[in-house]
Amino acid sequence: MVDNCRYLDVRKSESIKQSLKNLEIKAALEQYCTNTSLHGLRYVGDSNLTIAERVFWMIAFTLAVLVASYFIWLLYRKWVTTPIIISLSPEPVPLDEFPFPSVTVCNMNNAKKSEAARINAGKDNRKKLLLEDRCSTEANFTAYDLDESTITWDNMLHFTINVSQSCGEMLHMCQWHGNINDCEKLFNPTMTDEGLCCNFNSVHKKYLFYNPQDWSDLNNTFPSNSIDWNPETGYDVKMLNESMPLRPYGAGQSYGLTLSLDADIAEYYCSSTASVGFKMLLHNPVETPKIAEYAFAITPGEETRIIVTPRISTASKSIISIPQRKRKCFFTSERKLRYYRTYTQRNCVLECEANFTQKMCHCVQYYMPQSSNTPICEKKDDQCATAARRAMEVKLYDDDNGIIFINASEIQSCNCYPGCFEINYNVEISQSKIDPSFRIGDYYVKKDKEYFSKNMAVVHVFFVESQFTKYVKNELFGFAEFLSSTGGLLGLFMGFSFMSLVEIGYFITLRICCRIFTNNQTPRNIFPVRPLDPNKNVVYPFVQ
């Protein structure tokens, strides 16, 4: 019986303590609502107001919280989905901070008539097959049974050199920075999708590819020391102005590049188009050109002026913390290519096209980056190569870098977003007819004026401004901007501030704990109650 009484006393004591704790929590909440700096809650905790008034303020406060939460959610979505803003830099970029564009020019003639006649008269079936591939728009499948496995990179290179117009024949006069130079020192032969072309101001191939192929037969030369330049690192301040890639000295035609080009129309055997003349492309010095898709035409018998405007894209280093799939650009250290040393979007596209072509057709086009043992595609593979390119374009901007399946082959998606640092060149072209009756500088003319007016073109490439605006990728919303915007919304709807957060933390932790601890430490006087003795008379003095 004694134990039961003690148990009941313990239970009763715990119940009393729990009741005291609940009372302390309730008292703390009422005190918080009465004294808080949040708008509306003080009326909720005011016991002098009627129930209807307190319910009204509770509904108003709840609506304020919901509306503020909605706008904060919209702000958060904007911060997460569109974290990048592209703006114009207030600091102009002078000409000496970026290179003169790399200029690639190709004769539209695919094969010289004299060389084609010699091949057709000979007995080398392999050269006849290559010539047919080069000039025919449709593949003759019966011809491939002769010697199908003899087409290699070296075969293609030697054949292309022999049938193409050399740079010495194409370039009659080259003027750079107002000085006439030896064209073969300024220009180097290069392999493109239009055959053998001539290139000015590209970086050395050892800075272009990881494992460059042996192009000793092209006899490439450079007028000055070539450096490992890329759009992100730029030029060293101590670097000489004559380092490759070359930089412009100033604006105007006299500080640009002037060329006198010889089409040699009498040697036309087959053309890549329905016209005669040249194709020219201005591109980044660390990119290989794709002439067939992007070049513009230069017509013989006309003087062409090409005004160059660079489009310079840079990025703040702070955006490197933003995921790549959201900022949609790559820093050089983030995206590595298999063949090219420098990541640019065009290099990525060409390399990806080569990967798709190799997987689907088991060969690559002769102008694509490739391994030494990869077969060269022939005319019969054109249809497959076209299908590979279309398949590649579907996955060109796939940012999951996953694996896709085409014809039971696994091919990695391209993921070819632009580089965070890139330089591209926009051009404005104007042309005028050459009149042989006018007085023309002798250094432009080859043979005589009649030949000059029919076969040759004069081209001027130059800048018209000495400073340009660059585009900068920055954070649209950083954490500080998101925090300040969130605080502004909470302050507008609820009067919320940082001290309001401190108040909440104080009342739900320190305030309640301190009150409960104080009450537990306060001594209480307990008087025992004894049962009445039935043998004694109890007198109730106020009972009548």
Side-chain angles (χ1 to χ4, degrees), residues 406-432:
I406 297 179
N407 295 338
S409 298
E410 295 182 1
I411 307 176
Q412 192 172 19
S413 57
C414 294
N415 198 15
C416 286
Y417 283 109
C420 294
F421 290 79
E422 281 199 349
I423 298 180
N424 295 307
Y425 299 92
N426 300 325
V427 298
E428 296 180 18
I429 303 173
S430 61
Q431 295 178 316
S432 57

Side-chain angles (χ1 to χ4, degrees), residues 232 315-316 319-320 327 329-335 420-421:
E232 185 168 340
S316 172
I319 72 171
I320 199 169
R327 57 178 148 93
C329 74
F330 293 111
F331 289 89
T332 303
S333 59
E334 294 179 317
R335 184 76 165 89
C420 294
F421 290 79

Side-chain angles (χ1 to χ4, degrees), residues 42-238:
R42 65 181 62 185
Y43 301 107
V44 176
D46 189 352
S47 59
N48 295 322
L49 297 180
T50 64
I51 296 297
E53 290 175 308
R54 296 172 75 176
V55 170
F56 168 79
W57 283 108
M58 178 61 74
I59 294 174
F61 181 78
T62 304
L63 289 176
V65 172
L66 293 176
V67 174
S69 300
Y70 172 73
F71 283 109
I72 291 173
W73 169 247
L74 293 180
L75 183 68
Y76 176 76
R77 286 186 61 188
K78 187 175 182 180
W79 180 36
V80 171
T81 57
T82 57
I84 298 296
I85 184 172
I86 300 177
S87 58
L88 297 177
S89 173
E91 298 180 1
V93 182
L95 285 173
D96 60 353
E97 290 189 6
F98 60 90
F100 195 85
S102 182
V103 180
T104 301
V105 57
C106 310
N107 196 324
M108 293 182 186
N109 185 18
N110 286 337
K112 295 187 291 185
K113 183 183 293 186
S114 56
E115 186 65 22
R118 187 186 66 79
I119 292 175
N120 289 327
K123 298 181 179 180
D124 193 331
N125 292 328
R126 183 182 58 194
K127 289 184 178 180
K128 290 182 179 180
L129 177 61
L130 289 171
L131 182 63
E132 183 178 358
D133 282 354
R134 192 165 183 80
C135 292
S136 176
T137 57
E138 297 181 358
N140 182 5
F141 291 94
T142 59
Y144 291 94
D145 296 331
L146 297 176
D147 197 359
E148 188 176 356
S149 62
T150 57
I151 306 299
T152 64
W153 162 253
D154 290 335
N155 296 149
M156 180 64 71
L157 178 63
H158 295 153
F159 169 81
T160 304
I161 292 175
N162 291 332
V163 301
S164 300
Q165 185 186 34
S166 67
C167 293
E169 296 169 338
M170 180 193 301
L171 299 160
H172 173 65
M173 189 277 298
C174 301
Q175 187 174 342
W176 169 244
H177 285 169
N179 300 317
I180 296 178
N181 295 265
D182 185 356
C183 294
E184 292 189 273
K185 291 183 178 179
L186 288 180
F187 280 80
N188 285 315
T190 183
M191 293 289 286
T192 72
D193 54 342
E194 286 287 309
L196 189 67
C197 301
C198 303
N199 173 265
F200 166 77
N201 205 37
S202 280
V203 297
H204 195 281
K205 65 176 183 178
K206 67 180 180 181
Y207 299 129
L208 186 61
F209 299 103
Y210 284 114
N211 297 301
Q213 293 179 337
D214 183 18
W215 288 6
S216 56
D217 292 338
L218 297 180
N219 297 322
N220 288 341
T221 60
F222 292 88
S224 57
N225 181 46
S226 184
I227 61 173
D228 190 8
W229 176 91
N230 66 67
E232 185 168 340
T233 58
Y235 290 97
D236 192 337
V237 293
K238 299 180 181 179

Side-chain angles (χ1 to χ4, degrees), residues 4 11 64 108 124 141-142 162 274 355 439 446 469 501 528:
N4 290 337
R11 289 290 303 271
M108 293 182 186
D124 193 331
F141 291 94
T142 59
N162 291 332
N355 293 336
R439 183 174 181 180
K446 184 177 182 180
T469 303
L501 186 63

Side-chain angles (χ1 to χ4, degrees), residues 262-408:
D262 182 11
D264 197 5
I265 298 176
E267 277 285 342
Y268 266 57
Y269 177 73
C270 59
S271 176
S272 58
T273 64
S275 59
V276 298
F278 307 92
K279 289 184 178 180
M280 180 177 286
L281 181 66
L282 276 57
H283 56 93
N284 194 313
V286 293
E287 295 176 345
T288 53
K290 199 164 186 183
I291 302 298
E293 298 293 334
Y294 307 113
F296 53 89
I298 302 294
T299 306
E302 293 185 351
E303 185 174 14
T304 304
R305 287 176 172 81
I306 303 171
I307 298 174
V308 184
T309 304
R311 180 181 173 87
I312 305 173
S313 299
T314 62
S316 172
K317 293 294 184 180
S318 62
I319 72 171
I320 199 169
S321 59
I322 299 175
Q324 298 171 1
R325 59 184 176 84
K326 294 181 180 178
R327 57 178 148 93
K328 299 188 185 302
C329 74
F330 293 111
F331 289 89
T332 303
S333 59
E334 294 179 317
R335 184 76 165 89
K336 297 296 184 182
L337 299 176
R338 179 182 179 185
Y339 300 106
Y340 291 98
R341 287 172 54 92
T342 301
Y343 177 85
T344 69
Q345 188 177 31
R346 290 189 176 180
N347 284 349
C348 178
V349 170
L350 187 58
E351 182 168 303
C352 190
E353 184 180 353
N355 293 336
F356 270 72
T357 306
Q358 183 174 358
K359 283 290 185 180
M360 295 178 62
C361 309
H362 307 292
C363 63
V364 295
Q365 302 286 11
Y366 66 90
Y367 57 85
M368 292 178 175
Q370 59 197 266
S371 301
S372 57
N373 57 348
T374 305
I376 301 297
C377 292
E378 302 171 11
K379 196 68 177 180
K380 65 176 182 178
D381 300 310
D382 281 358
Q383 187 175 358
C384 179
T386 301
R389 182 180 179 186
R390 291 175 180 173
M392 176 269 299
E393 289 176 348
V394 173
K395 290 292 182 179
L396 192 57
Y397 302 107
D398 187 9
D399 57 3
D400 60 3
N401 207 19
I403 303 295
I404 63 174
F405 296 86
I406 297 179
N407 295 338

